[in-house]
PDB file of all heavy atoms in Angstrom:
ATOM      1  N   ALA A  30       0.803  -1.250  -0.058  1.00 92.00           N
ATOM      2  CA  ALA A  30      -0.061   0.012   0.033  1.00 92.00           C
ATOM      3  C   ALA A  30       0.933   1.226   0.023  1.00 92.00           C
ATOM      4  O   ALA A  30       2.029   1.237   0.415  1.00 92.00           O
ATOM      5  CB  ALA A  30      -0.905   0.093   1.182  1.00 92.00           C
ATOM      6  N   VAL A  31       0.323   2.410  -0.479  1.00 93.00           N
ATOM      7  CA  VAL A  31       0.912   3.631  -0.542  1.00 93.00           C
ATOM      8  C   VAL A  31       0.423   4.529   0.736  1.00 93.00           C
ATOM      9  O   VAL A  31      -0.778   4.597   1.062  1.00 93.00           O
ATOM     10  CB  VAL A  31       0.660   4.534  -1.803  1.00 93.00           C
ATOM     11  CG1 VAL A  31       1.192   5.760  -1.704  1.00 93.00           C
ATOM     12  CG2 VAL A  31       1.180   3.592  -2.881  1.00 93.00           C
ATOM     13  N   LEU A  32       1.405   5.103   1.427  1.00 93.00           N
ATOM     14  CA  LEU A  32       1.138   5.967   2.633  1.00 93.00           C
ATOM     15  C   LEU A  32       0.986   7.233   2.105  1.00 93.00           C
ATOM     16  O   LEU A  32       1.797   7.987   1.774  1.00 93.00           O
ATOM     17  CB  LEU A  32       2.265   5.794   3.675  1.00 93.00           C
ATOM     18  CG  LEU A  32       2.081   6.286   5.101  1.00 93.00           C
ATOM     19  CD1 LEU A  32       1.077   5.340   5.704  1.00 93.00           C
ATOM     20  CD2 LEU A  32       3.335   6.366   5.780  1.00 93.00           C
ATOM     21  N   ASN A  33      -0.391   7.759   2.138  1.00 95.00           N
ATOM     22  CA  ASN A  33      -0.702   9.101   1.537  1.00 95.00           C
ATOM     23  C   ASN A  33      -0.726  10.001   2.854  1.00 95.00           C
ATOM     24  O   ASN A  33      -1.836  10.090   3.445  1.00 95.00           O
ATOM     25  CB  ASN A  33      -1.968   9.142   0.767  1.00 95.00           C
ATOM     26  CG  ASN A  33      -1.929   8.451  -0.507  1.00 95.00           C
ATOM     27  OD1 ASN A  33      -0.888   8.518  -1.168  1.00 95.00           O
ATOM     28  ND2 ASN A  33      -2.933   7.798  -0.884  1.00 95.00           N
ATOM     29  N   ILE A  34       0.282  10.867   2.952  1.00 96.00           N
ATOM     30  CA  ILE A  34       0.327  11.730   4.159  1.00 96.00           C
ATOM     31  C   ILE A  34      -0.515  12.899   3.875  1.00 96.00           C
ATOM     32  O   ILE A  34       0.061  13.791   3.011  1.00 96.00           O
ATOM     33  CB  ILE A  34       1.824  12.026   4.567  1.00 96.00           C
ATOM     34  CG1 ILE A  34       2.515  10.674   4.788  1.00 96.00           C
ATOM     35  CG2 ILE A  34       1.867  12.917   5.825  1.00 96.00           C
ATOM     36  CD1 ILE A  34       4.037  10.928   5.071  1.00 96.00           C
ATOM     37  N   VAL A  35      -1.496  13.284   4.556  1.00 97.00           N
ATOM     38  CA  VAL A  35      -2.201  14.504   4.360  1.00 97.00           C
ATOM     39  C   VAL A  35      -1.722  15.614   5.241  1.00 97.00           C
ATOM     40  O   VAL A  35      -1.674  16.733   4.676  1.00 97.00           O
ATOM     41  CB  VAL A  35      -3.778  14.135   4.837  1.00 97.00           C
ATOM     42  CG1 VAL A  35      -4.642  15.481   4.632  1.00 97.00           C
ATOM     43  CG2 VAL A  35      -4.335  12.997   4.030  1.00 97.00           C
ATOM     44  N   ARG A  36      -1.257  15.352   6.369  1.00 96.00           N
ATOM     45  CA  ARG A  36      -0.603  16.389   7.317  1.00 96.00           C
ATOM     46  C   ARG A  36       0.690  15.971   7.801  1.00 96.00           C
ATOM     47  O   ARG A  36       0.822  14.918   8.495  1.00 96.00           O
ATOM     48  CB  ARG A  36      -1.531  16.574   8.413  1.00 96.00           C
ATOM     49  CG  ARG A  36      -2.923  17.357   8.044  1.00 96.00           C
ATOM     50  CD  ARG A  36      -3.808  17.576   9.269  1.00 96.00           C
ATOM     51  NE  ARG A  36      -5.042  18.189   8.682  1.00 96.00           N
ATOM     52  CZ  ARG A  36      -5.201  19.488   8.567  1.00 96.00           C
ATOM     53  NH1 ARG A  36      -4.253  20.380   8.843  1.00 96.00           N
ATOM     54  NH2 ARG A  36      -6.413  19.900   8.138  1.00 96.00           N
ATOM     55  N   HIS A  37       1.730  16.586   7.373  1.00 96.00           N
ATOM     56  CA  HIS A  37       3.150  16.375   7.850  1.00 96.00           C
ATOM     57  C   HIS A  37       3.312  17.092   9.149  1.00 96.00           C
ATOM     58  O   HIS A  37       4.169  16.753   9.922  1.00 96.00           O
ATOM     59  CB  HIS A  37       4.148  16.902   6.788  1.00 96.00           C
ATOM     60  CG  HIS A  37       4.139  16.203   5.523  1.00 96.00           C
ATOM     61  ND1 HIS A  37       4.893  15.001   5.398  1.00 96.00           N
ATOM     62  CD2 HIS A  37       3.493  16.315   4.361  1.00 96.00           C
ATOM     63  CE1 HIS A  37       4.865  14.535   4.184  1.00 96.00           C
ATOM     64  NE2 HIS A  37       3.918  15.381   3.437  1.00 96.00           N
ATOM     65  N   GLN A  38       2.499  18.028   9.430  1.00 95.00           N
ATOM     66  CA  GLN A  38       2.530  18.747  10.747  1.00 95.00           C
ATOM     67  C   GLN A  38       1.112  18.942  11.271  1.00 95.00           C
ATOM     68  O   GLN A  38       0.223  19.061  10.608  1.00 95.00           O
ATOM     69  CB  GLN A  38       3.300  20.045  10.649  1.00 95.00           C
ATOM     70  CG  GLN A  38       4.649  20.083  10.255  1.00 95.00           C
ATOM     71  CD  GLN A  38       5.326  21.445  10.155  1.00 95.00           C
ATOM     72  OE1 GLN A  38       4.748  22.382   9.740  1.00 95.00           O
ATOM     73  NE2 GLN A  38       6.696  21.453  10.599  1.00 95.00           N
ATOM     74  N   ILE A  39       0.988  19.047  12.592  1.00 97.00           N
ATOM     75  CA  ILE A  39      -0.291  19.295  13.187  1.00 97.00           C
ATOM     76  C   ILE A  39      -0.209  20.615  14.117  1.00 97.00           C
ATOM     77  O   ILE A  39       0.752  20.591  14.911  1.00 97.00           O
ATOM     78  CB  ILE A  39      -0.906  18.096  14.030  1.00 97.00           C
ATOM     79  CG1 ILE A  39      -1.053  16.905  13.064  1.00 97.00           C
ATOM     80  CG2 ILE A  39      -2.082  18.562  14.738  1.00 97.00           C
ATOM     81  CD1 ILE A  39      -1.434  15.648  13.791  1.00 97.00           C
ATOM     82  N   GLU A  40      -0.912  21.557  13.899  1.00 96.00           N
ATOM     83  CA  GLU A  40      -0.885  22.702  14.747  1.00 96.00           C
ATOM     84  C   GLU A  40      -1.661  22.532  16.026  1.00 96.00           C
ATOM     85  O   GLU A  40      -2.829  22.107  16.018  1.00 96.00           O
ATOM     86  CB  GLU A  40      -1.553  23.995  14.010  1.00 96.00           C
ATOM     87  CG  GLU A  40      -1.315  25.279  14.599  1.00 96.00           C
ATOM     88  CD  GLU A  40      -1.990  26.395  13.826  1.00 96.00           C
ATOM     89  OE1 GLU A  40      -3.155  26.642  13.931  1.00 96.00           O
ATOM     90  OE2 GLU A  40      -1.163  27.229  13.310  1.00 96.00           O
ATOM     91  N   VAL A  41      -0.878  22.803  17.105  1.00 96.00           N
ATOM     92  CA  VAL A  41      -1.502  22.531  18.390  1.00 96.00           C
ATOM     93  C   VAL A  41      -1.316  23.791  19.249  1.00 96.00           C
ATOM     94  O   VAL A  41      -0.591  24.743  18.959  1.00 96.00           O
ATOM     95  CB  VAL A  41      -0.969  21.375  19.090  1.00 96.00           C
ATOM     96  CG1 VAL A  41      -1.075  20.090  18.240  1.00 96.00           C
ATOM     97  CG2 VAL A  41       0.611  21.637  19.438  1.00 96.00           C
ATOM     98  N   ARG A  42      -2.121  23.817  20.445  1.00 96.00           N
ATOM     99  CA  ARG A  42      -1.879  24.806  21.401  1.00 96.00           C
ATOM    100  C   ARG A  42      -1.507  24.154  22.704  1.00 96.00           C
ATOM    101  O   ARG A  42      -2.144  23.119  23.041  1.00 96.00           O
ATOM    102  CB  ARG A  42      -3.096  25.618  21.584  1.00 96.00           C
ATOM    103  CG  ARG A  42      -2.954  26.947  22.534  1.00 96.00           C
ATOM    104  CD  ARG A  42      -4.044  27.948  22.140  1.00 96.00           C
ATOM    105  NE  ARG A  42      -3.782  29.199  22.848  1.00 96.00           N
ATOM    106  CZ  ARG A  42      -2.892  30.105  22.512  1.00 96.00           C
ATOM    107  NH1 ARG A  42      -2.261  29.955  21.391  1.00 96.00           N
ATOM    108  NH2 ARG A  42      -2.662  31.132  23.174  1.00 96.00           N
ATOM    109  N   CYS A  43      -0.442  24.650  23.363  1.00 94.00           N
ATOM    110  CA  CYS A  43      -0.047  23.915  24.674  1.00 94.00           C
ATOM    111  C   CYS A  43       0.807  25.026  25.326  1.00 94.00           C
ATOM    112  O   CYS A  43       1.217  26.155  24.931  1.00 94.00           O
ATOM    113  CB  CYS A  43       0.860  22.770  24.335  1.00 94.00           C
ATOM    114  SG  CYS A  43       2.298  23.010  23.353  1.00 94.00           S
ATOM    115  N   LEU A  44       1.295  24.634  26.557  1.00 92.00           N
ATOM    116  CA  LEU A  44       2.206  25.508  27.374  1.00 92.00           C
ATOM    117  C   LEU A  44       3.653  25.367  26.774  1.00 92.00           C
ATOM    118  O   LEU A  44       4.015  24.350  26.261  1.00 92.00           O
ATOM    119  CB  LEU A  44       2.252  24.917  28.870  1.00 92.00           C
ATOM    120  CG  LEU A  44       1.098  25.222  29.674  1.00 92.00           C
ATOM    121  CD1 LEU A  44       1.184  24.632  31.153  1.00 92.00           C
ATOM    122  CD2 LEU A  44       0.721  26.644  29.812  1.00 92.00           C
ATOM    123  N   ALA A  45       4.341  26.442  26.785  1.00 87.00           N
ATOM    124  CA  ALA A  45       5.619  26.414  26.285  1.00 87.00           C
ATOM    125  C   ALA A  45       6.552  25.394  26.982  1.00 87.00           C
ATOM    126  O   ALA A  45       7.507  24.835  26.411  1.00 87.00           O
ATOM    127  CB  ALA A  45       6.301  27.926  26.494  1.00 87.00           C
ATOM    128  N   SER A  46       6.284  25.125  28.086  1.00 83.00           N
ATOM    129  CA  SER A  46       7.109  24.108  28.990  1.00 83.00           C
ATOM    130  C   SER A  46       6.719  22.605  28.607  1.00 83.00           C
ATOM    131  O   SER A  46       7.183  21.805  29.057  1.00 83.00           O
ATOM    132  CB  SER A  46       6.970  24.299  30.412  1.00 83.00           C
ATOM    133  OG  SER A  46       5.531  24.168  30.831  1.00 83.00           O
ATOM    134  N   ALA A  47       5.607  22.418  27.735  1.00 88.00           N
ATOM    135  CA  ALA A  47       5.211  21.111  27.386  1.00 88.00           C
ATOM    136  C   ALA A  47       5.061  20.875  25.849  1.00 88.00           C
ATOM    137  O   ALA A  47       4.255  20.173  25.427  1.00 88.00           O
ATOM    138  CB  ALA A  47       3.836  20.815  28.117  1.00 88.00           C
ATOM    139  N   ILE A  48       5.970  21.465  25.124  1.00 90.00           N
ATOM    140  CA  ILE A  48       5.896  21.243  23.676  1.00 90.00           C
ATOM    141  C   ILE A  48       6.497  19.877  23.306  1.00 90.00           C
ATOM    142  O   ILE A  48       7.653  19.635  23.586  1.00 90.00           O
ATOM    143  CB  ILE A  48       6.870  22.418  22.937  1.00 90.00           C
ATOM    144  CG1 ILE A  48       6.314  23.834  23.227  1.00 90.00           C
ATOM    145  CG2 ILE A  48       6.809  22.162  21.368  1.00 90.00           C
ATOM    146  CD1 ILE A  48       7.286  24.867  22.716  1.00 90.00           C
ATOM    147  N   PRO A  49       5.681  19.133  22.586  1.00 90.00           N
ATOM    148  CA  PRO A  49       6.112  17.748  22.260  1.00 90.00           C
ATOM    149  C   PRO A  49       7.086  17.941  20.997  1.00 90.00           C
ATOM    150  O   PRO A  49       6.906  18.794  20.196  1.00 90.00           O
ATOM    151  CB  PRO A  49       4.921  16.997  21.740  1.00 90.00           C
ATOM    152  CG  PRO A  49       3.855  18.111  21.439  1.00 90.00           C
ATOM    153  CD  PRO A  49       4.253  19.347  22.235  1.00 90.00           C
ATOM    154  N   SER A  50       8.095  17.013  21.003  1.00 88.00           N
ATOM    155  CA  SER A  50       9.024  17.096  19.919  1.00 88.00           C
ATOM    156  C   SER A  50       8.373  16.545  18.627  1.00 88.00           C
ATOM    157  O   SER A  50       8.799  16.891  17.593  1.00 88.00           O
ATOM    158  CB  SER A  50      10.263  16.283  20.244  1.00 88.00           C
ATOM    159  OG  SER A  50       9.894  14.907  20.542  1.00 88.00           O
ATOM    160  N   SER A  51       7.480  15.744  18.807  1.00 92.00           N
ATOM    161  CA  SER A  51       6.686  15.178  17.519  1.00 92.00           C
ATOM    162  C   SER A  51       5.386  14.518  18.002  1.00 92.00           C
ATOM    163  O   SER A  51       5.112  14.383  19.237  1.00 92.00           O
ATOM    164  CB  SER A  51       7.645  14.009  16.921  1.00 92.00           C
ATOM    165  OG  SER A  51       7.824  12.907  17.738  1.00 92.00           O
ATOM    166  N   ILE A  52       4.584  14.192  17.072  1.00 95.00           N
ATOM    167  CA  ILE A  52       3.248  13.521  17.275  1.00 95.00           C
ATOM    168  C   ILE A  52       3.350  12.222  16.512  1.00 95.00           C
ATOM    169  O   ILE A  52       3.540  12.157  15.364  1.00 95.00           O
ATOM    170  CB  ILE A  52       2.038  14.448  16.700  1.00 95.00           C
ATOM    171  CG1 ILE A  52       1.890  15.599  17.652  1.00 95.00           C
ATOM    172  CG2 ILE A  52       0.774  13.562  16.822  1.00 95.00           C
ATOM    173  CD1 ILE A  52       0.898  16.577  17.109  1.00 95.00           C
ATOM    174  N   GLU A  53       3.270  11.176  17.277  1.00 96.00           N
ATOM    175  CA  GLU A  53       3.345   9.782  16.838  1.00 96.00           C
ATOM    176  C   GLU A  53       2.102   9.177  16.199  1.00 96.00           C
ATOM    177  O   GLU A  53       0.987   9.435  16.872  1.00 96.00           O
ATOM    178  CB  GLU A  53       3.925   8.810  17.747  1.00 96.00           C
ATOM    179  CG  GLU A  53       5.376   9.134  18.129  1.00 96.00           C
ATOM    180  CD  GLU A  53       6.010   7.933  18.979  1.00 96.00           C
ATOM    181  OE1 GLU A  53       5.210   7.151  19.303  1.00 96.00           O
ATOM    182  OE2 GLU A  53       7.141   8.072  19.205  1.00 96.00           O
TER     183      GLU A  53
END
């Protein structure tokens, strides 16, 4: 199968002290 990536990034809102390095 082909992996069709719709979103390479996701915009989120969070505390500056809790920024995730990535979304799995």
Side-chain angles (χ1 to χ4, degrees):
V31 175
L32 199 65
N33 291 324
I34 302 173
V35 180
R36 293 181 182 271
H37 292 272
Q38 295 183 325
I39 297 176
E40 188 178 74
V41 301
R42 191 154 186 83
C43 63
L44 291 176
S46 57
I48 300 173
S50 59
S51 62
I52 293 175
E53 290 191 353

